[in-house]
Amino acid sequence: MPAAEPTANPGLTAATQTEVIRLGRAVPGSKQVVAVPGTEVPLITLDLPDRLRGQAREQVAQRQLADRTGQPATALALRPCLLPSAKGTAGERWTRVLTADPAWLEGLRQIPGRAVLPDYLTLPAAAGVWTLAGDHLEDSKETPDILMARLGPEDGFSALPALAPLLLQRALETAAKPRALLLSGALPSGTEDAVMALAATHDIPVARNIEGIAALGLPRPQALAHGELACDLRHNPMAARARLARWVLPWRWPMLALLLAAVLWAATQVMAIRRIEAETATLTARTQALVQQHFVPDGPVLDVRLQVSQALADLRAASGARSRQPDPLELTGRAADVIAAAGLRPDLLNWRTGEGLMLVLRLADFAAADQIAEALRTAGLAVEVADLRVSEGQPGVRGEFLLTHAPDRPRQEVRP
């Protein structure tokens, strides 16, 4: 590839001119943008539903492109182009595509540089401003042989001089009228007159440089400032997704089996939970029926534990009221006869309501405790040995006996 100076464009700043180089005129540097003929890569707007995403959107776009061009779907390759740049969900709703011959696009992949763009996307753009410029496709020609048009930040085309006025007229009919035209440098022979006549017909002011656009109160057109680099023709997002699909494909059956196993396990757990809930509901209903029958015949069952406890307490209270209460004096008299007969002296006599008479004696040894307990039982008392222990520093054994009436033995009269 012969070395030459980058192409100059009067509409670009000096810094931008050094960044853009036309394909075949020089070896591009790592920071330069390579411009290819826009006639080979038209920018087409498609009518795509917003709900489509990813591969489905690309397939519909490919079919629409084939219908418009009358060529097979495999004859043209497309690249989604977002102008101005969009991020997130807005980036998934693209409607404009760059289309070209697949083999020609494949040859661009080896070109070094910052990006490879259609030449019309390297023109400065601003909202409401259409930028027109001419360029040479061959160095031997003196007059420009191609017209590049940037129809605002979102659209553009390149065309031969004979077709350019027709394309501009159609753009005026289908899009919003621009607020100004920027003629950047010389236009192809015969094209400038047609452009000026078109601008006069539609009452569109014409400027020869960016300062003239600013003088009209419009935003200054800028080059490569609207996300153009994202439309690099060397990158194919569709191919990247295809590679990802090929990589994911071997994993689909294991993932499907894992998903099926997870669904079966979840279904089993749901069935088990429902069975337990049904059994719990059955037991609850049976419990409430039994409580209603035996404990709470009147009124609703609100709290089984509390209502059953209350009913049992009422039954015990009624039963205790009907039984004969022990007489503490009678118990004391019977115990006194036994204690006196044994020659003992009680340390403590204490009546405990609901329990009986607590007797505390000081005895010689444990055998004597067993003898006195048996003597008390012989006297018709029920004896419960509450405690027997030896205290340090005190002689004998301290015994605690709980005395009540013996229910199964006849009571004997207490003798004075």
Side-chain angles (χ1 to χ4, degrees):
M1 186 178 295
E5 293 297 325
T7 181
N9 190 329
L12 304 179
T13 63
T16 305
Q17 289 180 12
T18 61
E19 291 180 355
V20 179
I21 182 172
R22 184 167 286 280
L23 179 65
R25 294 190 181 177
V27 178
S30 61
K31 295 184 179 181
Q32 288 183 311
V33 174
V34 179
V36 299
T39 54
E40 300 290 338
V41 197
L43 180 60
I44 299 177
T45 302
L46 302 175
D47 184 15
L48 300 174
D50 287 344
R51 65 180 181 276
L52 290 181
R53 299 287 190 276
Q55 189 176 6
R57 193 175 190 86
E58 294 166 0
Q59 291 174 350
V60 173
Q62 196 78 52
R63 287 196 296 268
Q64 287 191 13
L65 187 61
D67 293 340
R68 290 192 180 187
T69 60
Q71 301 187 38
T74 56
L76 293 174
L78 62 86
R79 301 283 193 273
C81 186
L82 298 171
L83 292 172
S85 59
K87 298 180 180 180
T89 57
E92 293 291 330
R93 295 195 295 267
W94 47 267
T95 57
R96 291 179 172 84
V97 296
L98 296 168
T99 179
D101 178 72
W104 184 79
L105 284 177
E106 187 67 22
L108 302 179
R109 295 182 59 187
Q110 306 303 323
I111 298 177
R114 188 179 179 188
V116 177
L117 300 175
D119 50 18
Y120 53 83
L121 290 186
T122 64
L123 296 178
V129 178
W130 287 10
T131 304
L132 305 179
D135 202 1
H136 304 277
L137 296 182
E138 298 180 8
D139 293 338
S140 61
K141 294 186 178 182
E142 296 182 359
T143 59
D145 53 0
I146 187 174
L147 177 72
M148 301 178 295
R150 187 71 185 271
L151 311 180
E154 298 183 349
D155 203 356
F157 67 86
S158 293
L160 298 176
L163 298 176
L166 297 177
L167 293 176
L168 288 173
Q169 178 64 41
R170 180 169 178 81
L172 286 171
E173 295 173 355
T174 58
K177 185 181 73 172
R179 299 172 63 185
L181 289 180
L182 171 60
L183 301 185
S184 178
L187 300 185
S189 177
T191 305
E192 184 169 343
D193 293 339
V195 170
M196 296 300 292
L198 196 62
T201 302
H202 292 274
D203 194 20
I204 303 174
V206 178
R208 294 287 179 175
N209 49 47
I210 294 178
E211 286 69 22
I213 295 295
L216 295 174
L218 300 175
R220 296 175 63 88
Q222 296 181 344
L224 305 178
H226 305 281
E228 291 88 351
L229 298 180
C231 300
D232 191 348
L233 295 173
R234 297 173 300 178
H235 301 156
N236 185 3
M238 299 175 64
R241 277 189 282 268
R243 288 194 298 270
L244 179 61
R246 287 195 299 270
W247 181 82
V248 173
L249 188 62
W251 293 93
R252 62 177 180 176
W253 293 116
M255 292 299 294
L256 182 60
L258 181 62
L259 179 60
L260 181 60
V263 170
L264 291 176
W265 177 83
T268 303
Q269 295 301 311
V270 170
M271 293 176 61
I273 292 173
R274 290 180 178 176
R275 184 176 65 253
I276 293 174
E277 290 177 348
E279 293 176 356
T280 303
T282 302
L283 291 175
T284 302
R286 292 179 179 176
T287 301
Q288 289 184 347
L290 291 174
V291 171
Q292 193 83 42
Q293 179 181 359
H294 298 286
F295 297 100
V296 189
D298 300 326
V301 178
L302 302 177
D303 189 329
V304 173
R305 184 187 299 274
L306 179 61
Q307 289 177 285
V308 170
S309 299
Q310 185 64 40
L312 291 176
D314 293 343
L315 291 174
R316 281 193 293 267
S319 176
R322 291 192 298 267
S323 62
R324 179 181 178 272
Q325 298 294 328
D327 186 356
L329 294 178
E330 185 179 352
L331 290 175
T332 302
R334 291 176 179 273
D337 291 342
V338 176
I339 294 171
L344 299 174
R345 186 174 182 179
D347 289 351
L348 177 66
L349 277 174
N350 183 26
W351 170 253
R352 295 182 178 179
T353 304
E355 294 183 8
L357 181 66
M358 176 60 69
L359 171 64
V360 179
L361 297 174
R362 178 67 60 179
L363 303 170
D365 49 29
F366 290 103
D370 292 338
Q371 292 174 0
I372 196 66
E374 184 61 28
L376 290 170
R377 293 188 183 97
T378 303
L381 299 175
V383 181
E384 179 182 348
V385 181
D387 185 28
L388 291 175
R389 65 173 177 268
V390 177
S391 301
E392 185 176 357
Q394 294 184 1
V397 175
R398 184 178 185 277
E400 296 182 4
F401 304 91
L402 184 61
L403 309 180
T404 57
H405 284 298
D408 297 331
R409 303 184 63 175
R411 298 184 182 182
Q412 301 177 1
E413 294 182 0
V414 179
R415 298 179 182 179

